[in-house]
Each structure stands twice: as structure tokens, then as C-alpha cells.
Amino acid sequence: MCGVFGIFNHPEAANLTYLGLHALQHRGQESAGIVTSQEGTLHAVRKMGYVADVFDGAFGQLPGRIAVGHVRYTTAGGSLPKNIQPLTAEYRHGSVALGHNGNLVNAEQLREELEHDGAIFSSQSDTEVILQLLARSREPTFVERLCDALGRVQGAYSLVLVTEDKLLAVRDPHGFRPLVLGRLRNHPDCYVVASETCAFDLIEADKVRDIAPGEILVIDHTGLRSVQLRRDNRRFCVFEHVYFARPDSVLDDLPVYEARIAMGEQLAREAPVEADVVVPVPDSGVVAALGFAKASRIPFEMGLIRNHYVGRTFIEPKDSIRHFGVKLKLNPVPSALRGKRVVVVDDSLVRGTTSRKIVKMIRAAGASEVHLRISSPPVISPCYYGIDTPTRSELIAASHTPDEIARYLTADSLAYLSPEGLSKAVRGDSGTTYCDACFSGRYPIRFIPPPGRRQLRLIEA
Ligand code: AMP
């Protein structure tokens, strides 16, 4: 769960990267970093915290016309300063910075092999394996060394890299995570890449196209060129459309907003309920709830108000904070709920802990009935490709039926969108095929379990 951004050929490269990262902040809130390149030297600012705080007063330290940026939420390695991205390395051919969104499934295995050969790692991040492989490659050019390194890694990776004179954007052969190419409206020779198109809107860039699965796009002063790594079956992450991406982004040619409206409409058709109001769980359930209200002709009410100054509850890695977080984040509106039969719409049900609190909160505010509708199928399997999901034993739907879950949540009824309904909702014009391992348990790439749990050996203040 991370966001990446890159820019080539702009006098204010760091500034625009900062703005791009602001738009991608929802993809990771633990740390942020920008690395710029100027006359053969890389300049980095990387810290724990929100984008707005990390770069306060830092632009003077980030000269150059090429930059890459990253916002991070930990899915591999600890939430520690040494794991903040973009990672940088100096090796015999020069310097390189790398930002990664995704998760490598064979990183621990490769790390063991590299350490056996004497490699020293300075982070716990799976991403560092790519830099180590790059430095060891005997190929003559940077792009060939990168192809060589990526030939050995498996899993999900959308990458941005910067060298002394190039910006590179790479998407893994399945295209699990999004990555788009854009161009600044007022600087047509300035190219940008980002995890989501919402980053382009802010900086007045237009989308050119998606980076293709398995593509390495190289941008330098000679222009753009592409190298194709290899292409496997396209498996774009359907959970990006369900939950993770911003609704104002367009992913693989399908607007997230349209997909979520269609999910809500389909859910209303599949699991209708007699009710007085449709209430979304803000912000994740808002668009699907609009679709539900539209298709069911039940009035839409903002019966829950979100405090925007608290981060996403689930995204705080510690359980104690997560439990406290629901109340911190959401408050019911009794005048919209009192005496009403309420349909609550949320995008997904994971552990069930948030939803249980929400159901109780709405009932305590005076609702006469509370029906929960989830605009995706039951989450039954963990994600190994970059979405933070708990272990299978914590996934409530992995071991309970919807009726059992409804009883636990204290809801009058619970229904999920069917897998077929979800496929229908995300069927854009692009013919994208999806990874739905979290809902189906069908994994496009086998996860290779780490040989042993890695101990923390250095914790920096
Ligand atoms: P739970 O109470 O565990 O079932 O959490 C469900 C809530 O978490 C829903 O409102 C989702 O929008 C949200 N959610 C789902 N997946 C994630 C994730 N990977 N990270 C953060 N929040 C999530």
C-alpha cells in the first residue's frame, strides 16, 4: 500500500512531486520521500509522517529537473526510518533511486541467497533486493541491468526510478498495481508518472496512457522508449477499484467512480431491502451507497459524519489505535437516523471490528433497523501483492457465513455483492482481467513463505 510519482524535465521537479504525493497520500501515510537528480548527484529528503509535514521547508535541498517520490504504508519490512522510500544506492555504475508500490513474493528467498553471497542490506524492505540485483548484474547498460534484476523477482511491482539522467517507470508482467504516464499541459516536453491519475489533475497534467504490464518505460533527453520485460496474464488488482484508489482516478481506463456506482447499483439489485434511508460509511462507502440509493430509489442520507483530521482507522498498524479509532473518526447524526430503517453501505468487510461498532452506533442513535450491505464479496484470503490484509484467521468471512457474521455485527441483515456482480461492475472497455485473490483465494503467483522470521537488528530513533 504505497503511492509513487515521477517527473522528468521540469525546473520545479521537487515541488510538483510534492503536489503529486499530496494527491496520493491516501495510498500511504506512514512516511514520504522525494529524490531529485541534478548534474550526476542525487538529493534526498525522506521522513516519517504526512507529506505536508515531511517536506516543510525542504525544497531548497531538492534541486534538479528529474524527481521521484513515494508515500508508504508498510506491507513488507517494519515501519521504520531506514525503510522509507525512495531507496537510494551508489554502486560502480553510478547512483540510483527507487520507489516501489506492491509486494515481491520471493524477496526473502532472494535476500537469503544474496546475504549468503556476502551482500549487506541497509533496510528490511523487499524493494532493496531489486537494488542489490541491479548492482550485481554484469549487463552493459542500466536498462539491461534492470531487466536482468527484474527477471529474478516475482510479485507485484509498480516502480519509479531515477538515475543521473533518466526517469524510468516499470510495471510487473501481471500489472497488479496501477501506474500511468502523463504530460504537463503547459510543458509538453515534461513527462510525469504516477500511481493514480488524481495526481495529474492537481498538477495540470493529462493522462497519456497506462504503463503496460511488463513494460519498462525509459524517459531521457532523447525522448521515450519502451522495453518489454515479459507479459503474463493481466491481473489488475480489483481491490483498487473496490477500496484503495481515489474515486476521482481512472484505473486502466475505467473511472473508479463509475465502477463503484455500478457496484452499489448491482448490490441493490442482488440484495434489496425495505428501508427508509441509505447511509454510507464515509468515505470508503460513499460512492457505492450513491449507486445503491439510485437503483433502490431509497433516499441517501449522510447519517455518519467523518472527522477528516484523523487518518484511516484501519491503516494505523497497532490494534489498540485501531479500536479507539472508529469513535475518533465517525459520529452518527441522530436526526437522520432516529426511527428509520437504515441500509448501511460499506465497500468491504475485513475483520468486522469497524462494522460492529458502526452498527451499534447507528442503533444507539435511534435507528429501528440496521441492514448492512457490502459492495464487494467476502474477503476470505490475504493479499500477497501489496494490499495490507490481516492473516486468514483474522478475516471474519474466511470462517463464518454471512448469517453468523450478521449476528456478530448485531445487524438485522447482511449481504455482500456477488463475485459475478463485481466482475460486471468493473468490466470497462479495456478488457482488463483482474486479480481477485482476496475474494476467491485464486492466487496468480504463489507466495513463497520466508525461510524464518527476520529479526530486527537495528532500530533507529
Ligand atoms: P473491518 O472492521 O475490519 O471489517 O474493516 C472494514 C473497513 O476497513 C471498511 O470500512 C473498509 O473500507 C476498510 N478497509 C478494507 N480494507 C482495508 C485495508 N487494506 N486498509 C485499510 N482499510 C481497509
Side-chain angles (χ1 to χ4, degrees):
M1 289 172 62
C2 295
V4 293
F5 185 90
I7 183 161
F8 182 82
N9 197 22
H10 196 281
E12 290 189 72
N15 244 311
L16 292 185
T17 304
Y18 167 75
L19 292 173
L21 293 183
H22 250 299
L24 298 174
Q25 182 81 82
H26 62 289
R27 299 186 68 90
Q29 293 100 11
E30 286 179 13
S31 64
I34 295 178
V35 178
T36 57
S37 173
Q38 189 194 40
E39 292 167 10
T41 306
L42 299 187
H43 301 262
V45 172
R46 293 170 286 209
K47 284 191 198 139
M48 302 297 290
Y50 288 107
V51 173
D53 304 323
V54 166
F55 304 105
D56 194 17
F59 295 110
Q61 299 161 45
L62 292 167
R65 299 176 70 92
I66 318 176
V68 287
H70 189 268
V71 285
R72 177 164 194 259
Y73 174 78
T74 307
T75 51
S79 175
L80 298 168
K82 64 179 171 181
N83 294 330
I84 301 176
Q85 296 197 20
L87 299 180
T88 42
E90 287 173 50
Y91 69 124
R92 66 187 189 288
H93 296 291
S95 308
V96 57
L98 167 61
H100 172 201
N101 172 210
N103 235 28
L104 306 181
V105 297
N106 64 340
E108 286 292 329
Q109 196 191 34
L110 289 170
R111 188 171 169 135
E112 288 274 323
E113 281 176 39
L114 289 160
E115 284 184 339
H116 192 74
D117 275 357
I120 297 170
F121 281 79
S122 56
S123 79
Q124 301 162 307
S125 152
D126 58 340
T127 312
E128 194 177 348
V129 165
I130 299 174
L131 290 179
Q132 293 277 356
L133 292 170
L134 189 65
R136 261 147 224 267
S137 171
R138 305 247 167 241
E139 295 294 334
T141 67
F142 182 80
V143 175
E144 285 167 301
R145 287 193 285 279
L146 184 61
C147 285
D148 195 18
L150 295 176
R152 298 208 50 206
V153 304
Q154 292 171 26
Y157 51 89
S158 280
L159 309 175
V160 288
L161 297 101
V162 73
T163 65
E164 285 83 356
D165 58 351
K166 291 181 192 38
L167 172 71
L168 296 99
V170 185
R171 210 163 162 202
D172 69 68
H174 288 286
F176 282 107
R177 301 273 142 240
L179 195 60
V180 267
L181 171 69
R183 204 172 195 174
L184 282 204
R185 223 161 283 153
N186 298 326
H187 287 259
D189 49 358
C190 171
Y191 285 96
V192 282
V193 287
S195 293
E196 291 183 35
T197 54
C198 63
F200 294 167
D201 300 337
L202 182 60
I203 59 170
E204 300 188 334
D206 294 314
K207 175 177 169 181
V208 175
R209 63 175 177 84
D210 287 288
I211 307 296
E215 178 180 3
I216 299 181
L217 177 71
V218 186
I219 309 176
D220 62 17
H221 280 291
T222 64
L224 272 64
R225 76 195 158 93
S226 276
V227 177
Q228 191 66 36
L229 263 173
R230 58 180 193 282
R231 207 191 287 266
D232 289 335
N233 291 335
R234 195 166 179 170
R235 288 286 176 264
F236 183 60
C237 168
V238 77
F239 205 67
E240 292 268 357
H241 273 300
V242 168
Y243 165 77
F244 197 42
R246 255 173 57 163
D248 50 340
S249 286
V250 178
L251 299 179
D252 268 6
D253 288 332
L254 177 64
V256 178
Y257 190 88
E258 262 178 39
R260 286 189 193 162
I261 290 277
M263 288 172 209
E265 289 176 336
Q266 179 67 20
L267 180 61
R269 287 191 284 270
E270 288 182 9
V273 55
E274 290 238 336
D276 304 307
V277 284
V278 172
V279 168
V281 175
D283 292 329
S284 56
V286 170
V287 184
L290 278 170
F292 194 102
K294 223 161 103 183
S296 63
R297 298 174 187 273
I298 300 172
F300 177 93
E301 294 280 0
M302 287 302 289
L304 290 167
I305 300 300
R306 176 171 165 190
N307 179 339
H308 282 269
Y309 303 95
V310 205
R312 288 181 178 195
T313 53
F314 198 108
I315 218 148
E316 304 289 353
K318 283 218 187 98
D319 215 42
S320 52
I321 302 174
R322 184 164 48 240
H323 278 264
F324 193 54
V326 181
K327 263 201 240 156
L328 264 178
K329 194 172 94 166
L330 294 175
N331 200 30
V333 183
S335 57
L337 302 168
R338 202 172 296 122
K340 305 259 172 71
R341 295 169 299 171
V342 179
V343 191
V344 183
V345 179
D346 203 357
D347 69 286
S348 57
L349 193 65
V350 184
R351 293 181 174 88
T353 46
T354 318
S355 315
R356 184 177 154 90
K357 288 186 167 80
I358 289 170
V359 171
K360 290 188 167 193
M361 205 179 248
I362 290 177
R363 218 186 282 284
S368 60
E369 291 174 24
V370 185
H371 301 272
L372 190 60
R373 293 293 178 269
I374 303 293
S375 61
S376 65
V379 177
I380 54 167
S381 304
C383 177
Y384 299 122
Y385 314 125
I387 297 281
D388 178 53
T389 32
T391 55
R392 192 181 307 268
S393 62
E394 292 171 271
L395 297 172
I396 192 164
S399 52
H400 295 86
T401 64
D403 282 348
E404 288 168 343
I405 300 171
R407 271 198 295 282
Y408 166 72
L409 302 176
T410 71
D412 293 291
S413 73
L414 163 69
Y416 291 91
L417 181 62
S418 67
E420 300 71 34
L422 177 61
S423 315
K424 219 167 165 180
V426 294
R427 196 175 301 147
D429 302 326
S430 65
T432 299
T433 46
Y434 291 92
C435 171
D436 63 358
C438 51
F439 302 127
S440 68
R442 284 189 300 270
Y443 291 102
I445 309 178
R446 198 169 67 85
F447 176 67
I448 301 166
R453 203 155 261 299
R454 186 166 292 281
Q455 294 295 315
L456 286 184
R457 293 168 193 148
L458 169 70
I459 299 181
E460 240 171 48

